[in-house]
Amino acid sequence: MLPDHRGGLALGDEVLVRLRDLCVDGGLSDLASTIEDLVGFVRDDLAVVEEDLAALPLGDTLVGDAGVGLVHLGGKRLRPLCVVLASRVGGTSAPAVHDLAVAAELVHNATLLHDDVVDNADRRRGRPTARVELGNAASIFAGDYLLIEALQRVQRADVPGVMDGLLATIAEMIRAESLQLENRGRLDTSEDLYFEVARGKSAALFRWALGAGAMTGGASPEVCAALETYGELVGVAFQLIDDLLDLVGHHSNTGKTLFSDLSEGKVTYPLITVLDREPGLVDTIRAIAEEHDAGPGIGGAGFGHRPTNGDGPVNGGPTNGDGGAGSELSNRQTRVLEAMARHGVEGICRGLAGTYVDQGVAALAGVPDGEARRALTAVAYASALRER
């Protein structure tokens, strides 16, 4: 039985508690029971992953503080969980699965460290970002270190096809980031472009995690393909909810400053949707971005460039009035949120995320029935319900 709070959690239990609570809050009691059943199914694997993450080598260095510090802040750990669950579909438990699960989490954290520099981001997981505390260079090198560590672990796992898949995935992620950068500051961002970026930036790593885990567990090519399809669809749903929570979430849950995506020049699906229904908001949304001194105005949207302090720690940026916690909203931000409420944008976004989840779960029809498949179903629906 999982505990009802964080205190006293066994290593590896926290992600299961979060998923269980999401299902309970969403009225999905059957899925909550499935999460409870996961305790004996994956606890030991998740514990090994956490131990490996806690033991990352680098010593007492600036880069180590930046990289390992972010990893040790926790996170949802959904990508390692996906690797582990997919490996169980094949029916074989291989030691290599732990290296691949750790690698999935390290690649994710490497992208966060790099993104925070590109975006001049100030908060991550409820704390100042590494670039704020230790400087841009430390954050970049820390991301590089985590990426190399991930590749070394995949190489050590020596599962045919997995390294090639990860290299292709990283290339896809970089391309998506480049697309987002090229269109930064454009208030006429299309839905097609948004979803192209979401598939490359977020869904690609979920897809690799599921495929890599399945290959390690000895699943058939058909099952691997079904799990990769599931991973991509659920990954898009995850990004949709992430972008929604950037606007309507609470900073104590998200650990980020609200409206941070817009302050970084990113026009996400919730904003595309509200602008489609209320075009008159365009000047308000542009003003929000400009008052936060958003990033480079590629695309001619008129967004400003936030000053930095050379290569050292960069202070300032969007604070929403409270030093980065994001608990207070400006009048313009309130106006956007009121428009979103008028047009039911949160419901639209969650509904679309739910559609992607349904499609992902449907893809699991190609996966043998059992605990792993039921658990992946619970993970999918919990990702669409989350508030953090």
Side-chain angles (χ1 to χ4, degrees):
M1 179 69 67
L2 288 171
D4 292 326
H5 49 78
R6 183 168 179 169
L9 290 184
L11 203 59
D13 277 357
E14 187 175 351
V15 65
L16 302 180
V17 170
R18 289 174 180 169
L19 289 171
R20 189 273 314 276
D21 290 347
L22 283 172
C23 291
V24 170
D25 293 343
L28 303 174
S29 57
D30 289 345
L31 289 179
S33 298
T34 298
I35 298 298
E36 288 281 358
D37 293 340
L38 273 176
V39 174
F41 189 52
V42 296
R43 170 186 274 170
D44 290 346
D45 285 317
L46 293 179
V48 172
V49 170
E50 287 298 329
E51 288 169 355
D52 284 353
L53 290 170
L56 285 173
L58 202 58
D60 186 19
T61 68
L62 194 65
V63 171
D65 286 344
V68 177
L70 177 63
V71 173
H72 289 175
L73 284 177
K76 302 170 189 69
R77 303 291 201 243
L78 285 180
R79 293 157 192 84
L81 177 60
C82 285
V83 173
V84 170
L85 289 175
S87 74
R88 296 302 186 89
V89 168
T92 302
S93 180
V97 73
H98 300 136
D99 274 330
L100 298 183
V102 169
E105 186 67 13
L106 294 181
V107 171
H108 172 56
N109 280 268
T111 65
L112 298 183
L113 286 160
H114 288 164
D115 283 353
D116 286 343
V117 174
V118 172
D119 298 333
N120 286 334
D122 296 322
R123 297 188 70 78
R124 174 74 66 182
R125 295 175 180 164
R127 291 178 55 87
T129 54
R131 59 167 286 277
V132 168
E133 292 191 322
L134 301 172
N136 285 340
S139 190
I140 291 169
F141 290 138
D144 293 345
Y145 160 69
L146 294 184
L147 192 56
I148 293 299
E149 180 70 20
L151 292 171
Q152 288 176 335
R153 286 174 182 269
V154 173
Q155 184 178 48
R156 184 170 69 192
D158 196 24
V159 179
V162 170
M163 177 64 89
D164 288 344
L166 181 56
L167 293 174
T169 296
I170 293 171
E172 188 175 353
M173 294 170 76
I174 293 171
R175 179 179 179 276
E177 291 284 6
S178 176
L179 269 177
Q180 189 170 64
L181 181 63
E182 290 168 13
N183 289 274
R184 179 169 293 199
R186 292 188 58 170
L187 294 181
D188 61 347
T189 299
S190 69
E191 289 186 17
D192 287 345
L193 176 62
Y194 169 81
F195 284 108
E196 184 177 359
V197 171
R199 285 191 295 272
K201 182 178 176 180
S202 297
L205 187 55
F206 277 102
R207 185 181 65 229
W208 177 82
L210 271 298
M215 285 184 235
T216 307
S220 69
E222 294 78 16
V223 170
C224 289
L227 285 167
E228 287 175 346
T229 298
Y230 160 91
E232 177 165 329
L233 290 163
V234 172
V236 172
F238 188 91
Q239 186 62 51
L240 266 169
I241 297 302
D242 224 36
D243 293 337
L244 176 66
L245 294 179
D246 179 74
L247 299 169
V248 303
H250 191 275
H251 67 89
S252 64
N253 287 332
T254 64
K256 295 170 60 180
T257 306
L258 297 185
F259 281 77
S260 61
D261 285 338
L262 183 57
S263 77
E264 294 155 7
K266 302 173 188 175
V267 179
T268 56
Y269 185 77
L271 291 175
I272 294 171
T273 302
V274 76
L275 277 171
D276 179 64
R277 285 151 179 78
E278 198 166 319
L281 280 174
V282 65
D283 289 337
T284 299
I285 290 175
R286 180 177 287 112
I288 292 171
E290 289 177 344
E291 75 186 2
H292 287 304
D293 295 321
I298 298 172
F303 291 5
H305 180 70
R306 182 186 307 167
T308 62
N309 181 21
D311 187 47
V314 183
N315 300 308
T319 63
N320 291 340
D322 68 349
S327 60
E328 298 177 10
L329 295 169
S330 71
N331 290 334
R332 292 190 181 100
Q333 290 170 332
T334 299
R335 200 173 307 149
V336 172
L337 293 179
E338 288 172 347
M340 289 177 62
R342 272 196 306 276
H343 298 292
V345 171
E346 180 170 358
I348 290 169
C349 291
R350 288 195 180 275
L352 183 56
T355 298
Y356 275 99
V357 165
D358 288 340
Q359 292 172 352
V361 170
L364 293 178
V367 174
D369 194 15
E371 281 187 288
R373 177 171 147 180
R374 290 192 292 274
L376 287 168
T377 299
V379 168
Y381 284 112
S383 70
L385 293 170
R386 64 192 180 91
E387 297 293 338
R388 57 181 299 170

